[in-house]
Amino acid sequence: MMWENWTIVSEFVLVSFSALSTELQALLFLLFLTIYLVTLMGNVLIILVTIADSALQSPMYFFLRNLSFLEIGFNLVTVPKMLGTLIIQDTTISFLGCATQMYFFFFFGAAECCLLATMAYDRYVAICDPLHYPVIMGHISCAQLAAVSWFSGFPVATVQTTWIFSFPFCGPNRVNHFFCDSPPLIALVCADTSVFELEALTATVLFILFPFLLILGSYVRILSTIFRMPSAEGKHKAFSTCSAHLLVVSLFYSTAILTYFRPRSSASPESKKLLSLSYTVVTPMLNPIIYSLRNKEVKAALKRVIHRILGSQKL
């Protein structure tokens, strides 16, 4: 009876960056479009090089290839719609479209958290137990670990999205974000969401904080092993193999934790948008750059692939 006079929401309006001037939105469009294209090209290049080059067939590059696939998907979920809101002011999104965007955002986000933890475990075994590394990280084990990482996104995405969109949305439909994320959508729900928020916090701990703690524990053991190595060359080689992953993890988790573990009242919507931009737009672009510039094997493989392409064109 309480809801009889309320309008049921059939679509949402993404506020995005509409408070900014038209000129500034046009500049942001060009900036984000450039980042988007660089992200797609960089991650596709990583995928192709790790498939084509025989020297990059180790577990580390197998997981890196999976990370690039995830980054492409993560980017496709949020960036194209954001570009539309900036250039043609296409701010509306259907109820189903919003639910679909949220589902795949949760799916790719949770899968990436688990894959980053898997990559840390791979580095831990390679450095701390090198004699058993070929046995522990065999082809079947790597495929199973990658599959678990990918499929870990399904339960959190299904539960979170289904639960949120089972709530009644009867009032305002303006989502103060550039994509359909759970905190700004929950603010529009006209029902008690306390149980859901407790479940969301639990899911956040399981799929963000727990993998982060596993990564932290792995790197504590890795650094301890590196410092005990007798030769400076061995220390440098061991550290160089995991420095890129450590940098990627730091970028991704620092912004994700600040976004989802801060109290609502401690951050403005605009600051949350900036934090979200860092892990949805900037980090996916930086990953292939970091792995290319800080990894001699990837740089050498890129040169070999380019030489093969140029050589075949001359023929």
Side-chain angles (χ1 to χ4, degrees):
M1 294 296 293
M2 290 173 60
W3 301 340
E4 284 184 359
N5 296 325
W6 293 353
T7 303
I8 302 300
V9 171
S10 60
E11 65 178 18
F12 295 98
V13 176
L14 297 172
V15 173
S16 191
F17 303 98
S18 58
L20 302 176
S21 65
T22 305
E23 293 79 9
L24 192 52
Q25 287 188 59
L27 288 174
L28 286 177
F29 170 79
L30 293 174
L31 174 64
F32 293 149
L33 178 62
T34 303
I35 292 174
Y36 178 60
L37 294 175
V38 170
T39 300
L40 291 181
M41 289 188 292
N43 282 290
V44 167
L45 189 60
I46 289 288
I47 291 167
L48 294 177
V49 168
T50 55
I51 291 174
D53 196 271
S54 58
L56 302 183
Q57 301 307 309
S58 67
M60 182 172 75
Y61 298 109
F62 170 74
F63 292 127
L64 176 58
R65 184 160 62 245
N66 277 267
L67 179 64
S68 290
F69 275 116
L70 282 174
E71 294 289 26
I72 291 171
F74 204 46
N75 226 231
L76 289 172
V77 168
T78 56
V79 178
K81 181 62 181 176
M82 180 181 65
L83 293 174
T85 64
L86 288 170
I87 195 63
I88 58 173
Q89 304 300 309
D90 180 21
T91 57
T92 59
I93 185 168
S94 68
F95 193 88
L96 180 59
C98 190
T100 303
Q101 187 184 53
M102 178 180 286
Y103 182 91
F104 284 105
F105 172 77
F106 282 139
F107 168 75
F108 286 116
E112 182 163 343
C113 288
C114 293
L115 185 65
L116 288 173
T118 300
M119 293 172 76
Y121 174 70
D122 170 67
R123 293 298 84 210
Y124 162 75
V125 177
I127 293 171
C128 300
D129 195 7
L131 294 179
H132 295 99
Y133 180 73
V135 177
I136 297 173
M137 301 303 292
H139 292 299
I140 295 175
S141 298
C142 289
Q144 289 172 339
L145 287 168
V148 169
S149 297
W150 276 89
F151 283 103
S152 66
F154 282 114
V156 64
T158 302
V159 172
Q160 294 275 91
T161 307
T162 304
W163 200 339
I164 288 175
F165 284 90
S166 67
F167 284 123
F169 293 91
C170 341
N173 67 338
R174 292 173 63 82
V175 180
N176 196 1
H177 213 323
F178 58 86
F179 69 98
C180 290
D181 197 6
S182 57
L185 271 170
I186 285 297
L188 305 179
V189 169
C190 47
D192 180 21
T193 60
S194 56
V195 177
F196 168 79
E197 290 180 48
L198 180 61
E199 181 276 335
L201 179 61
T202 304
T204 303
V205 169
L206 285 174
F207 288 94
I208 294 182
L209 193 59
F210 184 63
F212 176 71
L213 292 175
L214 288 176
I215 293 169
L216 196 61
S218 297
Y219 274 103
V220 168
R221 295 290 302 274
I222 287 170
L223 292 174
S224 175
T225 302
I226 290 174
F227 289 138
R228 290 199 304 268
M229 289 179 177
S231 68
E233 184 182 350
K235 289 179 180 178
H236 176 74
K237 185 178 179 181
F239 188 75
S240 65
T241 62
C242 56
S243 59
H245 178 254
L246 190 57
L247 185 55
V248 167
V249 166
S250 301
L251 289 170
F252 181 81
Y253 273 100
S254 60
T255 52
I257 288 173
L258 282 173
T259 300
Y260 292 102
F261 281 95
R262 293 173 73 182
R264 288 186 186 181
S265 57
S266 66
S268 66
E270 301 308 314
S271 66
K272 289 182 178 179
K273 288 178 192 177
L274 289 175
L275 285 171
S276 297
L277 279 172
S278 62
Y279 66 82
T280 58
V281 179
V282 179
T283 303
M285 176 195 69
L286 292 177
N287 285 354
I289 295 173
I290 291 169
Y291 277 104
S292 299
L293 294 179
R294 298 186 64 85
N295 191 301
K296 292 180 181 179
E297 290 180 338
V298 174
K299 287 191 286 187
L302 280 170
K303 290 177 182 177
R304 287 194 294 271
V305 170
I306 292 170
H307 286 158
R308 282 205 298 268
I309 293 171
L310 293 176
S312 62
Q313 286 179 348
K314 288 178 181 179
L315 295 174

